[in-house]
Every structure is written in structure tokens, then in C-alpha cells.
Amino acid sequence: MNQKTKFIGVSLIVAFSFFSVSSSYAQYLNKYYLSFWGAVGYANLLHADIGSAELGLPNIYKSIGGPGGLLGLGFEFQHRKFLLSVGAEFDFKNSTHKIDRLRVELGEIVIGANGKHYVNVEQGGMIDKEGDPFVMRYDFDKYRDNYSIGYVNIPLMMGARFQSIYFLAGGKFGLNVLGFANTKSVISSAGGIYPHLIEMPPNYYGGGKTSSKQDISLNYSVVASLEIGKIMFFNKNKTRFHYRIAAFADYGVLNVNPIGGKNVRTDVIPNGEFVSAPYAPDGSANVLNLQHNSIFTSIRAIDKAVNPLLVGIKFTLLFDLGNKEPCNCLEDYNSKWQRKNRMR
């Protein structure tokens, strides 16, 4: 065997030995966990202003928000300080939206060519028991839409840990699996305005409370997510579980409101408006028995951007999938003196 052959052989043996040692040590650097998490916090469906231009009012449709949360499970890979997390979660948001001191008129009084006022029937209006047309005016002290929205998200998060502090950042893709809106209002007064008595105060019918529910569906969501927290142990030497507590924020970067009015409901109110009163040609309908669309399911929110938000506190439980720690120690030497000592 010549020198060149010996050199190649020795080189291959050294390289193989180095690869074997590196691979053996790498198993200690790579760690795998099952993860379970839950979160609670503040949720909102942020939207572009819907105010005087859309509602004919000076008041703006305000977003108050409400409680929300997450519940999920997944898999986490760790290499040294690097973290990679994937999984699936259920995302729930409850968001309240309001208009204060709302006024709605069903119907329109116009001036004809002869200079007289009359009710434009194309814009709605009512008929009383005497057969006279009039416009119905409603004043609301409170008008509330409450939305309950659920998504199934697939999160992909990456980050790092620095001793007991960690962070994760990434994105989530979500599909809307449930949604409904509950609209409630308080009518402070309701009155009829007659074209021939337009200068007179309305003929008041009283007030009351109304409530109605509608289904709502939203587009898929793409969410930017960030969490920062602390890693903690129950008992590091006796359990395969440890946990994390973090602050997090999820923001939907895409508009979830369907474009082109696909979400407008016309089964409750045929013209897609957000308020309508029952109509009967003989004037027998109860004008206080109102029907509602939520604003988001009416023509008033067509093509308005809606972006979901969730911020709060997240608790994550991780289960160690049999990870091993490197050990640079010697095994105990079993001498005859040890055996004798055990027998005493």
C-alpha cells in the first residue's frame, strides 16, 4: 500500500469519525416538543369610518371591541437558541360596534312640479289606516351591533430564546368557520311625517326596544403575529413539561370583508338596508316592530375594509418528546469495595 492510498484511507476514517461524533452531538442540540396553548385578550374588528356619507348622519359607526381568545396545539422544534413552531388553533373574537343618537327616516318627502309635497314611494314610506302616505322617523338612543367571529388558523412562527426569555414572530392563515351578528337598539321616539303637514311636529307612536340576529361570513385572513415571553419550569429534574407565559398581538393584514357586497343580506331586508319597518297597504302594520341588518351585512358597509385584531396574554405548555442532554461524565467504577459496602 503506497503513501497516497494510506493518506486517503486515514482521511476517510478521520472524516467518518468526525461526522459520527458531530451527528451524535447534534441529537442533543435538536429538541422536539408537543405544544398546547391558550390565550385571552382584547379583540376588535377594525374598520374604515362609516359615518355621515353612508348613514346620512353626523355620527360615526364606532368600533368598541370585546373579549377574544385562542386555543391550539402544535409541534415545536428547537436547535440551540432557534425556535420553530407550527400547529392549528381556534381563534374567537367578540366585537361590539355602536352608533349613538341615531336617526333613520324610512321614506322621502319631495316637492313635485306643482310645488306640493308628496312621499316618494320609490324610497319607501308608510300608509296609515286612512290610506294617507307618510314618512316614518325613528330616533335611537342606542344602536349596537355585536359580532361573534370564529376562525381556524394555521400558524407558522419562528424565533429565538435567550436564557429564559423568548420571542416568536410569523404569520397565520385562517378560514372563517362561524359568524353571527346580534343587533339591539333602543327607540327613544318614532313618529310619522305627512307631506301636507311637513311644517308640523311628527305624529309620535312611542318608543321601545328591538333585537335581531343575522349570520355573517368573512373572507379568509392572513395574520401577522408576535409574542414575547418567559420560559418557566414546574420542576426541571422531575417532569417533561415546562411552560411559557407571553404577551402577544395578532393583526389581520388583509381585508376580511367580502368585496362587492357579497356579504349583504337581503333575506331580512330586501333592499339590503340596515333598518326597515313592516309595511301593510291597509296601515295595520306595527311600525315599532323593526327589522335590522347589522351594518356589516348591509349595503352601508360595501367594500369597507375590516381588519381583525387580537392582543393579550398567552399560556403555552410544552411536552418534551424524549430529548436528551449531553453528558460529559464517567460512569461509576464498580469495585469490590463498593460491593462489600452494599452488603453491610
Side-chain angles (χ1 to χ4, degrees):
M1 184 180 296
N2 56 34
Q3 293 292 333
K4 184 177 181 179
T5 303
K6 288 182 179 180
F7 176 77
I8 293 174
V10 172
S11 298
L12 290 174
I13 292 172
V14 172
F16 178 77
S17 300
F18 177 78
F19 178 77
S20 298
V21 172
S22 299
S23 299
S24 177
Y25 187 68
Q27 67 176 318
Y28 298 113
L29 300 180
N30 297 336
K31 297 183 179 181
Y32 308 91
Y33 299 90
L34 285 179
S35 56
F36 311 87
W37 64 86
V40 294
Y42 168 79
N44 207 330
L45 297 175
L46 304 174
H47 57 79
D49 284 345
I50 305 173
S52 57
E54 292 79 19
L55 304 177
L57 299 164
N59 298 326
I60 291 177
Y61 188 59
K62 299 176 182 178
S63 177
I64 302 173
L70 303 171
L71 189 64
L73 58 89
F75 171 80
E76 183 164 304
F77 167 74
Q78 299 183 8
H79 177 77
R80 293 181 182 271
K81 295 181 179 182
F82 173 74
L83 309 178
L84 174 66
S85 177
V86 296
E89 67 182 12
F90 180 69
D91 176 350
F92 178 79
K93 296 180 177 69
N94 186 286
S95 184
T96 297
H97 302 246
K98 71 174 185 175
I99 310 173
D100 291 326
R101 296 182 299 279
L102 173 65
R103 171 171 289 182
V104 175
E105 291 187 357
L106 300 181
E108 181 183 20
I109 296 178
V110 297
I111 301 176
N114 57 4
K116 293 184 178 181
H117 294 86
Y118 68 96
V119 175
N120 183 355
V121 294
E122 294 182 356
Q123 297 297 322
M126 307 296 291
I127 301 292
D128 64 15
K129 293 182 178 180
E130 285 73 34
D132 294 326
F134 65 96
V135 169
M136 196 66 197
R137 174 185 291 175
Y138 298 92
D139 288 305
F140 298 91
D141 281 342
K142 293 181 180 180
Y143 193 96
R144 300 286 188 275
D145 285 332
N146 181 265
Y147 300 97
S148 296
I149 304 298
Y151 274 83
V152 171
N153 294 334
I154 304 298
L156 175 60
M157 308 285 287
M158 291 182 287
R161 62 183 178 89
F162 305 94
Q163 295 182 348
S164 63
I165 303 300
Y166 82 99
F167 79 92
L168 286 169
K172 302 178 181 181
F173 176 81
L175 292 176
N176 183 218
V177 293
L178 69 86
F180 58 88
N182 186 10
T183 300
K184 294 183 178 181
S185 66
V186 177
I187 305 171
S188 59
S189 65
I193 304 173
Y194 288 83
H196 60 283
L197 300 174
I198 192 171
E199 302 297 333
M200 301 293 290
N203 181 19
Y204 285 103
Y205 291 82
K209 297 181 179 181
T210 66
S211 177
S212 60
K213 293 183 179 181
Q214 312 89 35
D215 292 331
I216 183 172
S217 61
L218 300 175
N219 282 342
Y220 65 85
S221 67
V222 175
V223 176
S225 181
L226 174 67
E227 68 176 87
I228 301 174
K230 183 176 178 63
I231 302 171
M232 307 177 76
F233 292 89
F234 294 106
N235 186 328
K236 190 173 182 179
N237 298 321
K238 294 183 179 181
T239 182
R240 295 169 66 179
F241 286 97
H242 68 273
Y243 63 97
R244 302 189 299 224
I245 298 177
F248 78 97
D250 287 354
Y251 176 73
V253 296
L254 294 185
N255 174 24
V256 298
N257 188 23
I259 300 298
K262 293 181 180 179
N263 208 36
V264 175
R265 294 181 59 86
T266 58
D267 54 341
V268 177
I269 303 177
N271 62 3
E273 280 289 351
F274 68 102
V275 176
S276 76
Y279 174 79
D282 61 357
S284 61
N286 182 358
V287 295
L288 296 180
N289 186 21
L290 294 180
Q291 297 293 322
H292 293 287
N293 260 333
S294 71
I295 300 295
F296 285 173
T297 57
S298 74
I299 62 173
R300 300 302 174 176
I302 288 181
D303 298 339
K304 292 291 184 179
V306 177
N307 300 91
L309 172 71
L310 179 63
V311 295
I313 302 297
K314 181 177 180 181
F315 176 86
T316 304
L317 181 68
L318 291 102
F319 176 70
D320 188 330
L321 294 176
N323 298 304
K324 297 180 180 180
E325 298 291 342
C327 179
N328 298 317
C329 54
L330 296 175
E331 294 183 0
D332 292 337
Y333 175 71
N334 296 322
S335 69
K336 63 181 182 179
W337 303 109
Q338 290 175 315
R339 289 196 297 269
K340 288 181 179 180
N341 288 337
R342 292 194 194 98
M343 295 176 64
R344 289 179 179 177

